[in-house]
Amino acid sequence: MTGFELIRAFAHDATVGVVVTDPMIELPGPTILYANAAFGRLAGRELDAIVGQSPRFMQGRETRRETLDAFHRALAAGERFHSYLTNYRADGTKYRAEIDCRPLRAADGRIENFVSFEREVLRRKGRPAVNAAGRYEPSDESKNVLSGALHALGVFMHS
Ligand SMILES: Cc1cc2nc3c(=O)[nH]c(=O)nc-3n(C[C@H](O)[C@H](O)[C@H](O)COP(=O)(O)O)c2cc1C
């Protein structure tokens, strides 16, 4: 079983958004090969309208270029990318997404896919925080029984 198949099996009913792409990071890639239903709800689109696209389709006016450049550098280096991006739904509404993206490697070390766990976060009320980790908290829909499992896997954890 490949990493992709394993992720697809456990992500199917998960309430966190899970999206898997091929490893081609240069335009027009990466191409989305799989998205779970929770990702469809987060992105505000039918899965048919997501699979086959590049994740760039969610970007808009307030998506920060510097963050995307850092994303691109992490993908090119085969490193984890954990950050926050402004994404847009099909109806034009925007949301703040926490993104935890990792390479899936074959036994020989070659990157076969990228997988990203994505959830909506809201700006915390109160004092301004020094970093993004303190500034955002998961939205109510993002807090669920899977949180414990994601925690155990280190997903959305700050290193
Ligand atoms: C698995 C995966 C999920 C991604 N999800 C998003 C996303 O939700 N929003 C976004 O703006 N970019 C996302 N990206 C990043 C874009 O696909 C692209 O890599 C980014 O815009 C930087 O590359 P560019 O400088 O060529 O645009 C994702 C990439 C991968 C591999």
Side-chain angles (χ1 to χ4, degrees), residues 19-22 25-27 29-30 32 39 54-59 63 65 67-69 71-73 75 85-87 95 97 99 101-102 114-116 118:
V19 58
V20 179
T21 68
D22 70 9
I25 59 170
E26 303 303 336
L27 275 163
I32 296 174
F39 189 85
S54 153
R56 292 188 195 83
F57 75 87
M58 292 172 281
Q59 298 167 7
T63 311
R65 191 60 242 177
T67 315
L68 295 177
D69 289 343
F71 204 154
H72 190 273
R73 281 196 299 275
L75 295 175
L85 269 174
T86 299
N87 274 178
Y95 62 97
I99 295 187
C101 183
R102 294 130 187 265
F114 288 99
V115 58
S116 182
E118 305 200 8

Side-chain angles (χ1 to χ4, degrees), residues 62-124:
E62 290 178 37
T63 311
R64 289 186 58 195
R65 191 60 242 177
E66 301 94 282
T67 315
L68 295 177
D69 289 343
F71 204 154
H72 190 273
R73 281 196 299 275
L75 295 175
E79 288 168 1
R80 176 191 183 203
F81 177 79
H82 180 198
S83 191
Y84 304 83
L85 269 174
T86 299
N87 274 178
Y88 290 78
R89 301 193 171 91
D91 65 5
T93 55
K94 64 179 179 193
Y95 62 97
R96 198 79 184 140
E98 181 173 11
I99 295 187
D100 189 340
C101 183
R102 294 130 187 265
L104 292 177
R105 293 179 185 276
D108 63 5
R110 217 171 14 91
I111 296 176
E112 287 188 315
N113 300 98
F114 288 99
V115 58
S116 182
F117 300 89
E118 305 200 8
R119 64 179 176 181
E120 181 169 5
V121 290
L122 303 173
R123 202 169 263 278
R124 280 184 207 276

